[in-house]
């Protein structure tokens, strides 16, 4: 593996998780400028310079589209999107009842999954602006993070009944059709990529572990890939591309 560090050209990096394109070649992250304004910056991993994405003031929780051409983000109660080349910015929807956000995940079919601080997951269709609530606001299975799995399933982070701290969170497979949850293991901020699950423990240690999705179980021994991932809103600040490239704070 190859490791390198990206520093902002100026300003301060935000503590929320960055986003990485599906091909692992471009990173988008929030930067607070010296005047206090926060904007999204895009940077190719083979470039020494970043560029500001237009109309992204106060943007939060960026997420790439599956084709890598758009970035969705939240700004207050509004979900927006901006083209990676900066040529177009528009509003997707206003969702005042689903704020604030833990994460956005843009999946196939032009659908954005919204994980919120109210422990709900909403599936928003961009085409018709229709929102499907996948989990109730209150219930035995609050969801705190989400990523897409093959065959329409989701990898989610939740708290089992009786849990009182983030240290008790677990991750597993959620089947949207049957609404069945299969626990895989303990961890925070789990993401799926290339037959593996990337997850963090409360100490900020980041691990990669193989997973058998058909059998619903982790395989082998977890491999630590980073010792000190930072947290924002009790969620580890990292992202994983479809190719397995990891970016973290």
């Amino acid at each position: 593996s190859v490791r390198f560090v990206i520093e902002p050209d100026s300003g301060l990096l935000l503590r929320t998780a960055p986003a990485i394109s599906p091909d692992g070649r471009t990173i988008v992250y929030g930067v607070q400028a010296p005047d206090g304004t926060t904007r999204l910056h895009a940077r190719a991993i083979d470039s020494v310079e970043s560029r500001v994405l237009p109309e992204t003031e106060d943007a939060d929780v960026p997420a790439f589209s599956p084709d890598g051409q758009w970035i969705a983000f939240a700004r207050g109660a509004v979900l927006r999107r901006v083209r990676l080349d900066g040529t177009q910015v528009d509003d997707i929807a206003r969702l005042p009842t689903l704020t604030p956000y833990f994460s956005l995940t843009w999946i196939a079919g032009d659908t954005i999954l919204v994980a919120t601080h109210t422990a709900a997951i909403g599936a928003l269709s961009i085409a018709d602006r229709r929102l499907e609530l996948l989990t109730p606001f209150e219930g035995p299975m609050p969801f705190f993070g989400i990523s897409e799995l093959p065959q329409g399933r989701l990898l989610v982070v939740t708290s089992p009944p009786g849990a009182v701290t983030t240290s008790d969170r677990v991750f597993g497979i959620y089947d949207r059709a049957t609404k069945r949850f299969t626990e895989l293991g303990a961890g925070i901020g789990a993401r799926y990529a290339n037959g593996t699950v990337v997850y963090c423990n409360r100490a900020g240690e980041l691990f990669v572990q193989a997973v058998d999705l058909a059998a619903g179980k982790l395989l082998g021994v977890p491999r630590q890939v980073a010792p000190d991932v930072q947290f924002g809103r009790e969620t580890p600040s990292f992202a994983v591309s479809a190719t397995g490239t990891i970016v973290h704070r």
Side-chain angles (χ1 to χ4, degrees):
S1 63
V2 177
R3 300 172 185 266
F4 57 92
V5 176
I6 293 179
E7 297 286 352
D9 300 326
S10 62
L12 299 173
L13 285 172
L14 299 185
R15 296 190 65 184
T16 51
I20 188 168
S21 59
D23 64 5
R25 303 297 301 174
T26 305
I27 300 168
V28 169
Y29 50 91
V31 174
Q32 184 180 55
D35 65 2
T37 305
T38 61
R39 297 181 177 89
L40 293 180
H41 288 227
R43 184 168 179 170
I45 62 172
D46 59 357
S47 173
V48 296
E49 296 182 345
S50 68
R51 55 188 175 82
V52 177
L53 294 175
E55 299 184 48
T56 58
E57 291 82 2
D58 301 319
D60 198 8
V61 289
F64 270 93
S65 60
D67 64 5
Q69 298 303 305
W70 292 86
I71 298 96
F73 61 93
R75 185 164 73 177
V78 179
L79 296 185
R80 311 195 77 201
R81 63 178 176 177
V82 56
R83 287 193 66 90
L84 181 59
D85 62 11
T87 59
Q88 184 178 346
V89 186
D90 54 43
D91 292 349
I92 299 172
R94 177 176 291 274
L95 300 174
T97 61
L98 287 180
T99 55
Y101 308 94
F102 269 125
S103 67
L104 302 179
T105 304
W106 196 328
I107 65 174
D110 258 355
T111 297
I112 295 178
L113 302 175
V114 185
T116 78
H117 282 207
T118 54
I121 293 176
L124 176 71
S125 168
I126 295 177
D128 58 16
R129 306 304 200 262
R130 182 176 60 85
L131 179 71
E132 173 193 2
L133 193 61
L134 303 185
T135 56
F137 286 101
E138 295 182 1
M141 293 282 294
F143 286 177
F144 298 103
I146 187 167
S147 63
E148 188 176 21
L149 295 173
Q151 301 177 347
R153 293 170 296 174
L154 305 174
L155 179 68
V156 299
V157 179
T158 185
S159 291
V164 295
T165 70
T166 56
S167 302
D168 298 320
R169 287 182 187 166
V170 298
F171 60 88
I173 301 168
Y174 178 74
D175 190 307
R176 292 178 63 179
T178 65
K179 301 189 183 301
R180 179 187 176 191
F181 176 77
T182 302
E183 183 178 328
L184 292 174
I188 310 170
R191 301 284 187 270
Y192 174 80
N194 252 358
T196 65
V197 175
V198 185
Y199 61 94
C200 206
N201 64 17
R202 190 58 190 164
E205 298 169 317
L206 192 65
F207 298 92
V208 175
Q209 190 166 359
V211 61
D212 185 334
L213 295 177
K217 64 179 182 180
L218 298 174
L219 302 174
V221 178
R223 176 171 58 91
Q224 183 178 316
V225 294
D228 54 358
V229 173
Q230 295 187 26
F231 280 67
R233 298 176 188 158
E234 300 184 351
T235 303
S237 296
F238 76 91
V240 186
S241 73
T243 58
T245 301
I246 300 171
V247 56
H248 69 85
R249 286 218 52 207

